[in-house]
Amino acid sequence: MKKTLLLSALLFAGGLTAQTTHMVNWFIGVTSSETVITIENGDTVKWMWDDTLPHTVTSQAGGAETFDSGTITGSGESYSHTFTVDGTTAYACNFHPSMQGSITVTTTGGIKDVKTTGFKAYPNPVTDMLTVTSDTFISSIEIFDINGKLVYKATAATPNVNIYMQNFTPGTYIIKAHAGDAIENITVIKQ
C-alpha cells in the first residue's frame, strides 16, 4: 500500500513540472482577487465548486479562448481547461453573473527563472502534525485531496504553520501555501 501511494505521488509530482494547475474556488460570493489570474501558456485552470448550487464556467465573447463547462451542480465538482492561446479571456457563471473573472495567458521566452520561495514542509510522509515554513510570513494554507477537492483552508500571519492531520484520510494531498506574492504547491503523503 505504501509503495503504491509513493509511486502515485511521484508520478503526480512528475506531471507538475510540465505545466502548472491553478485551482480556483467557484461559489457565490467569490471575489475577483481569487478569479483574476495570470498564467503561462500550457497551464491549466481548475475551477472547484464550493457550494451546492448549479454553476457554469463560460468564456465571454471576444476572449482569446472559448470554453464552457456546461451546468455543473454539487460541492466538490470541478471543471478544468488548459490554455494554449496568449491573451485575456473573461469568464462568468451563466446563472450568477456576479461570479466572474479573467485569465491572462502569457508565453515566457527562454528558460524560466526559478524563484526560491523558501517553503518547506515536514515530516513527509506525515502521520499527525505537518509543519510548513517559509522565509517570509505565510498568509494562508489550502489543502486539496488528490481529486482537487479543497479539504482544508486557514489563514495565518507567521513564518511557521503547524497543521494537525491526524484525522485526515491516508493518501496524497497538495498543500497550497501563500506568502505575499509567492505561492508554493507541496505534495504531501498522509500515512
Side-chain angles (χ1 to χ4, degrees), residues 78-102:
S78 66
Y79 169 74
S80 297
H81 181 78
T82 300
F83 289 81
T84 58
V85 179
D86 287 1
T88 300
T89 303
Y91 65 91
C93 173
N94 289 336
F95 298 109
H96 309 100
S98 65
M99 293 173 59
Q100 57 184 307
S102 67

Side-chain angles (χ1 to χ4, degrees), residues 1 5 167-173 189-191:
M1 177 70 174
L5 285 174
N167 293 325
F168 282 54
T169 303
T172 303
Y173 293 89
I189 297 174
K190 165 62 170 82
Q191 292 184 327

Side-chain angles (χ1 to χ4, degrees), residues 8-9 12 46 144-149 151 171-174 187:
S8 297
F12 183 75
K46 182 174 186 176
F144 299 90
D145 67 14
I146 196 68
N147 297 314
K149 180 180 178 186
V151 295
T172 303
Y173 293 89
I174 304 300
T187 303

Side-chain angles (χ1 to χ4, degrees), residues 12 15-24 37-40 42-48 78-83 112 142 144 146-148 174-176 183-185:
F12 183 75
L16 291 177
T17 60
Q19 73 177 37
T20 301
T21 299
H22 305 266
M23 298 183 196
V24 175
I37 59 176
T38 299
I39 65 173
E40 291 189 23
D43 285 357
T44 299
V45 176
K46 182 174 186 176
W47 291 269
M48 297 170 298
S78 66
Y79 169 74
S80 297
H81 181 78
T82 300
F83 289 81
K112 181 178 176 181
E142 298 168 310
F144 299 90
I146 196 68
N147 297 314
I174 304 300
I175 310 295
K176 186 174 185 180
I183 299 173
E184 181 83 11
N185 291 324

